[in-house]
Amino acid sequence: FFAFFGANAGGQLALVQRMLAVPSALVASSFGDVLHARAGTAAATQGASLMDMVGPAQRRLVIVAAFVYLPIILLAPSLFAPVFGNAWLDAGVYAAVLAPMVAAWTVASPLTRIFLVRNRLRVKLTFDVLNMVVPIGALAVMRPLGPLASLAAYSVGGCLVAVGVVVMARRLSTGAFA
């Protein structure tokens, strides 16, 4: 981003990424650790279906992500300038654009533990690679349209990969491909 759009845009994005990552990392790692432990035990003792565990976990994650990131989507564009100064106005817009992707990954990331429980490491690796390539590729393709369009494409790309993770984790939790 720095190379494409300069130090100002890169600095704005750096602030936003750090602010958005903190709640996501806390929620995702906490939920992921609990899910991994419980799913591992359940898979070993109860048989094939983990959906009774994954479905409720996903619903809780969606609620937490919405609680944290919906206000950012709605309020960040109008709050960044008063809080950080007028020079940070773009950062508020960047936060609103990137928050859906961070929310999606707040839900998806803990569910990747199902890939580990089901011993589907190649599936996890595939999604990890897709999560690097798709958003960054989208950003690069949209570069000529400017930083905001590039970030929007990056966010959409990340959301699409996160949705793929959720769908695959749910399928694996039902015993599909087990």
Side-chain angles (χ1 to χ4, degrees):
F1 206 77
F2 279 89
F4 287 165
F5 303 110
N8 183 47
Q12 303 256 347
L13 179 60
L15 171 68
V16 167
Q17 287 178 314
R18 280 163 182 72
M19 289 183 66
L20 294 178
V22 171
S24 179
L26 177 65
V27 169
S29 65
S30 298
F31 267 83
D33 290 345
V34 171
L35 180 62
H36 193 177
R38 290 184 180 171
T41 301
T45 60
Q46 297 173 3
S49 182
L50 300 172
M51 190 50 122
D52 292 339
M53 194 172 305
V54 171
Q58 180 187 350
R59 284 189 289 281
R60 287 184 193 109
L61 286 163
V62 167
I63 290 167
V64 170
F67 180 76
V68 172
Y69 292 103
L70 192 56
I72 292 170
I73 293 166
L74 298 173
L75 301 174
S78 61
L79 290 180
F80 265 65
V83 172
F84 296 106
N86 287 335
W88 296 95
L89 179 65
D90 288 346
V93 177
Y94 292 177
V97 168
L98 289 177
M101 181 187 72
V102 178
W105 276 103
T106 301
V107 175
S109 181
L111 298 182
T112 64
R113 303 297 181 95
I114 297 301
F115 302 158
L116 304 176
V117 169
R118 291 291 193 199
N119 197 26
R120 296 296 185 262
L121 302 181
R122 286 188 178 162
V123 172
K124 183 170 183 337
L125 176 62
T126 299
F127 279 110
D128 289 344
V129 169
L130 286 171
N131 194 40
M132 289 188 315
V133 172
V134 172
I136 292 170
L139 185 141
V141 167
M142 296 301 285
R143 176 185 177 200
L145 299 178
L148 188 57
S150 297
L151 279 181
Y154 179 86
S155 186
V156 169
C159 284
L160 291 173
V161 176
V163 167
V165 165
V166 171
V167 168
M168 182 57 75
R170 288 182 64 90
R171 290 189 76 182
L172 287 172
S173 72
T174 63
F177 315 116

